[in-house]
Amino acid sequence: MTIKVARSADARLPAMGGAALATLLAAGCSSADSTGSAELNGADAQVNVVEMEDLYLVALEEGEPARFLGTLINQSAFPMDVTLSDADDEVVVTVPADSEFAFAATPTFFESADVTPGTIMTVSIGVGSDDEAVEIPVVDGTDEEYRDFAPADPER
């Protein structure tokens, strides 16, 4: 199953309505916390009977290890293996029947992030015979919010 996402505003909207819609969307795109930084949302997806909520990767730099954050929710009465992969890494986690798998409680890593922190990385997520490409934000492990989840780097 492939999900297509519009990447830019459609210029065919009437000028007045389009401007009003753009203003409303811009006002609701992000929220600021007490430090003034924008709130980032992780990726959400559904593959077969497993729902993915708020998926992130935390990395210090491109090419260094990347740790998953977020939750997998198995909506099945059977345990499900979930395969997460990119061009050079693959990990498999088992989500118990009718249960959740929290990456924060069970550290799970790619050996290397294929992109720099602050960008998006495409990860293939497989459950059973279904496979979905999901764009997951890669956050900077040096940021205070993610520092505790950053893969260890002995030189830092």
Side-chain angles (χ1 to χ4, degrees), residues 62-110:
E62 181 177 355
E64 291 190 11
R67 180 178 175 180
F68 281 93
L69 287 182
T71 305
L72 304 176
I73 304 165
N74 182 359
Q75 302 167 344
S76 164
F78 302 97
M80 298 299 294
D81 287 338
V82 178
T83 303
L84 304 138
S85 60
D86 68 359
D88 60 351
D89 291 298
E90 181 176 290
V91 295
V92 178
V93 297
T94 301
V95 185
D98 294 315
S99 190
E100 296 182 359
F101 180 95
F103 286 109
T106 307
T108 306
F109 301 88
F110 272 169

